[in-house]
């Protein structure tokens, strides 16, 4: 399982797929599912959906992860060929200086570029510790005029992402681009492999969703159509085992999968997820019985599109599960493959318990 996860994760991290431009990622996943003889459909937003039918009477489950990644988009091409960009999603400007990027013109035709970083020898003392806001940055592709840039296929609206990378670190840890949320896409493929042809357990809709980094609502469209009883989003859980994060929690990389007990985003969205108590209890006992560690996370400052999915229909019983990850939204995020194995096992153990006896009635819980 770990080898499958490593291969799929590497492949997926190396495929560019800015929000709204997930086509290449979707084609990879679609073909991986097709190799497992699992049929898929794609809705008009681009969500890829596969339904594995289960026992009638059991609740239906939407298990989802997002295919898209954050990045930039070409805003203006200067006469000298330097490219100005707009931000798509929560790109940390602190992490942009001197990064290599990829301007996604088309498969096999993508253009490499670098984000300029003012020559050190000309940097004034007051500039030394200043982060450049994104409107001031520019991308250098090597082309010397706007005409050359346009001729290469780059135009206003061209997606730009961190140059895709996959780095193997020691002890089954990896680093690179878009571990958020390709690691969960890889986990979902493993879940699909294990569930296919099973027939027992709940009906599981696997949704590989779009637009999460852009507007947090891509998966809502799938939920409206599927009307699941239960929704489980797989995404990163912030690891807090580095000195800069130490006071925020006890989530360790390599410490196993994690569940979020509370997420909230106060910067304008006023949304988050407080999971359904049935699912908290279910995954706690599933982890205990399967001898899996299960870490707990509470934090403010981030959320997933589960926040919106939970509001669909009569309300969807929801929970965020995930893998610990460091350095979120930088070009070198990091995770531990053993946590992905654990997350796969946790999903399978939890799904097995979702039978007709599982009550989602709030009055059955404190
Ligand atoms: Zn994510």
């Amino acid at each position: 399982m770990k080898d499958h996860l490593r291969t799929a994760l590497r492949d997926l991290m190396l495929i560019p797929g800015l929000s709204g431009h997930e086509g290449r990622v979707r084609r990879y996943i679609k073909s991986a599912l097709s190799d497992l003889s699992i049929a898929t459909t794609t809705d008009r937003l681009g969500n890829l959906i596969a339904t594995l039918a289960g026992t009638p009477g059991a609740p239906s489950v939407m298990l989802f992860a997002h295919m898209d990644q954050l990045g930039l988009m070409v805003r203006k091409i200067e006469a000298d060929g330097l490219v100005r960009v707009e931000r798509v999603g929560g790109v940390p400007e602190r992490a942009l200086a001197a990064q290599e990027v990829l301007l996604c013109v088309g498969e096999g035709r993508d253009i490499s570029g670098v984000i300029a970083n003012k020559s050190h020898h000309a940097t004034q003392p007051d500039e030394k510790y200043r982060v450049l806001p994104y409107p001031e940055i520019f991308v250098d592709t090597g082309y010397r005029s706007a005409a050359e840039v346009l001729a290469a296929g780059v135009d206003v609206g061209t997606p730009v992402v961190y140059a895709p990378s996959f780095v193997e670190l020691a002890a089954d840890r990896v680093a690179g681009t878009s571990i958020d949320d390709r690691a969960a896409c890889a986990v979902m493929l493993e879940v699909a492999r294990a569930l296919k042809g099973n027939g027992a357990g709940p009906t599981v809709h696997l949704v590989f969703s779009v637009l999460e980094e852009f507007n947090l609502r891509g998966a809502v469209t799938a939920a409206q159509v599927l009307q699941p009883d239960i929704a489980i989003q797989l995404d990163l859980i912030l690891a807090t085992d580095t000195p800069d994060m130490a006071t925020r929690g006890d989530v360790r990389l390599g410490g196993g999968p994690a569940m979020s007990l509370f997420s909230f985003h106060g910067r304008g969205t006023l949304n988050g997820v407080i999971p359904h108590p049935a699912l908290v209890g279910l995954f706690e006992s599933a982890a205990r019985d399967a001898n899996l560690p299960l870490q707990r996370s509470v934090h403010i400052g981030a959320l997933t599109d589960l926040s919106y999915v939970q509001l669909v229909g009569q309300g969807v019983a929801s929970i965020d599960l995930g893998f610990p990850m460091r350095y979120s939204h930088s070009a070198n995020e990091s995770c531990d493959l053993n946590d992905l194995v654990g997350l796969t096992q946790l999903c399978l153990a939890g799904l097995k318990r979702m039978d007709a006896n599982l009550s989602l009635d709030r009055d059955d819980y404190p």
Side-chain angles (χ1 to χ4, degrees), residues 66 68 180-181 212-213 233-236 303-304 329:
H66 66 92
D68 63 304
D180 170 12
D181 195 16
E212 199 267 358
E213 302 288 1
Q233 168 134 29
L234 304 182
D235 207 330
L236 70 102
L303 74 177
T304 65
H329 288 193

Side-chain angles (χ1 to χ4, degrees), residues 38-324:
I38 297 173
T40 54
T41 56
T42 303
D43 69 18
R44 282 194 205 113
L45 282 190
N47 293 303
L48 182 71
I49 301 164
T51 295
L52 304 169
T55 317
S60 69
V61 183
M62 173 169 148
L63 181 67
F64 67 109
H66 66 92
M67 297 186 286
D68 63 304
Q69 71 192 90
L70 51 82
L72 306 158
M73 188 175 277
V74 175
R75 181 179 81 232
K76 177 181 165 65
I77 302 166
E78 302 285 1
D80 57 8
L82 295 172
V83 175
R84 301 279 186 188
V85 287
E86 203 63 70
R87 224 162 61 118
V88 180
V91 179
E93 284 148 307
R94 253 161 25 96
L96 285 180
Q99 283 295 334
E100 182 185 348
V101 292
L102 193 69
L103 294 85
C104 302
V105 174
E107 227 159 336
R109 294 181 292 125
D110 292 336
I111 308 286
S112 291
V114 291
I115 295 177
N117 190 38
K118 185 172 178 180
S119 293
H120 181 69
H121 302 83
T123 301
Q124 301 303 309
D126 64 325
E127 293 176 312
K128 242 175 134 177
Y129 299 104
R130 176 173 173 252
V131 174
L132 224 48
Y134 77 86
E136 294 179 35
I137 68 168
F138 52 90
V139 174
D140 188 342
T141 60
Y143 291 113
R144 286 161 298 178
S145 69
E148 283 184 13
V149 172
L150 286 164
V154 176
D155 206 339
V156 172
T158 295
V160 181
V161 295
Y162 295 132
S165 73
F166 175 83
V167 182
E168 295 233 35
L169 302 176
D172 285 334
R173 292 189 174 179
V174 302
T177 43
S178 322
I179 289 178
D180 170 12
D181 195 16
R182 305 291 163 70
C185 292
V187 167
M188 295 242 304
L189 287 175
E190 276 311 286
V191 170
R193 186 192 307 279
L195 288 182
K196 122 193 114 135
N198 184 342
T203 291
V204 179
H205 306 286
L206 302 169
V207 177
F208 297 87
S209 67
V210 294
L211 299 173
E212 199 267 358
E213 302 288 1
F214 171 60
N215 65 9
L216 290 164
R217 288 163 181 79
V220 174
T221 308
Q224 279 165 352
V225 172
L226 300 170
Q227 295 285 322
D229 301 305
I230 293 171
I232 305 165
Q233 168 134 29
L234 304 182
D235 207 330
L236 70 102
I237 298 277
L238 283 186
T240 60
D241 57 347
T242 47
D244 49 347
M245 298 285 284
T247 62
R248 297 206 49 157
D250 283 312
V251 176
R252 287 182 301 109
L253 212 65
M259 69 176 168
S260 167
L261 282 307
F262 174 84
S263 67
F264 182 73
H265 190 271
R267 294 182 294 236
T269 57
L270 291 181
N271 213 338
V273 173
I274 298 169
H276 193 292
L279 300 178
V280 174
L282 180 144
F283 280 104
E284 278 176 333
S285 42
R288 203 178 314 118
D289 290 356
N291 248 328
L292 291 165
L294 178 57
Q295 307 192 79
R296 296 164 74 91
S297 166
V298 164
H299 89 245
I300 283 184
L303 74 177
T304 65
D305 40 9
L306 186 62
S307 299
Y308 295 92
V309 165
Q310 68 182 343
L311 307 176
V312 166
Q314 300 179 47
V316 184
S318 293
I319 191 164
D320 277 301
L321 299 179
F323 54 92

